[in-house]
Amino acid sequence: MTRSLLILNGPNLNLLGTRQPEVYGTTTLKDVENLCLDKAKDLGIEIEFAQSNHEGSLIDMMHAARGKHVGVILNAGAYTHTSVALMDAISSIMLPVIELHLSNIHAREAFRQTSYISKVCIGQICGFGAAGYPLAMQALIDYVGDKA
Ligand code: DQA
């Protein structure tokens, strides 16, 4: 069976391309999805690419990943810094999750340097803009190896 990854984007990431381009660049979320589709072809895998501005919807999509995907790449946006519920969802689904950010959150405001989800993710990729997504896909597929 072809392996599949869920690539999930949180609040305000639908506005990529026009949102604070000095921080996030001019790449749109559609461009990011296309990058991921190219990488998926290289890896011989499938992806589901999604975005929501709602914490509960993100949690529902994480739950629905069980039995369907071998892992999740999560750019939780600002919920990274606030959401115990999202942290619990990651702990509950028994799937490897990579935390992803376009910007280097460690070099930004102090409140962005706290991540509730880091503790329960297998790793974090941040600071490489859209290029971080295919990097995360490679890392996650290498991580799951023959396990899935
Ligand atoms: C972000 C970083 C978060 O601090 C911010 O709230 C975002 C985007 C990133 O991709 O750099 O919405 O997750």
Side-chain angles (χ1 to χ4, degrees), residues 11-13 19 24 75-81 100-105 108 112:
N12 302 304
L13 291 164
R19 171 194 182 197
Y24 299 113
N75 184 346
Y79 290 139
T80 305
H81 319 298
L100 185 126
H101 303 283
L102 295 146
S103 63
N104 179 359
I105 57 169
R108 299 184 62 193
R112 290 188 207 276

Side-chain angles (χ1 to χ4, degrees), residues 29-106:
L29 196 62
K30 191 72 204 162
D31 296 331
V32 175
E33 181 174 5
N34 286 332
L35 259 184
C36 292
L37 286 168
D38 285 348
K39 183 66 181 177
K41 210 178 277 176
D42 287 351
L43 290 168
I45 62 164
E46 289 178 356
I47 58 166
E48 177 183 348
F49 193 92
Q51 188 272 335
S52 175
N53 292 320
H54 306 279
E55 190 175 13
S57 303
L58 293 167
I59 292 168
D60 287 343
M61 286 191 267
M62 301 278 293
H63 292 178
R66 287 173 304 173
K68 195 165 154 198
H69 300 288
V70 297
V72 181
I73 294 165
L74 176 63
N75 184 346
Y79 290 139
T80 305
H81 319 298
T82 62
S83 180
V84 175
L86 211 46
M87 175 180 78
D88 285 348
I90 297 168
S91 302
S92 306
I93 59 171
M94 311 281 284
L95 284 175
V97 179
I98 292 186
E99 175 182 359
L100 185 126
H101 303 283
L102 295 146
S103 63
N104 179 359
I105 57 169
H106 306 287

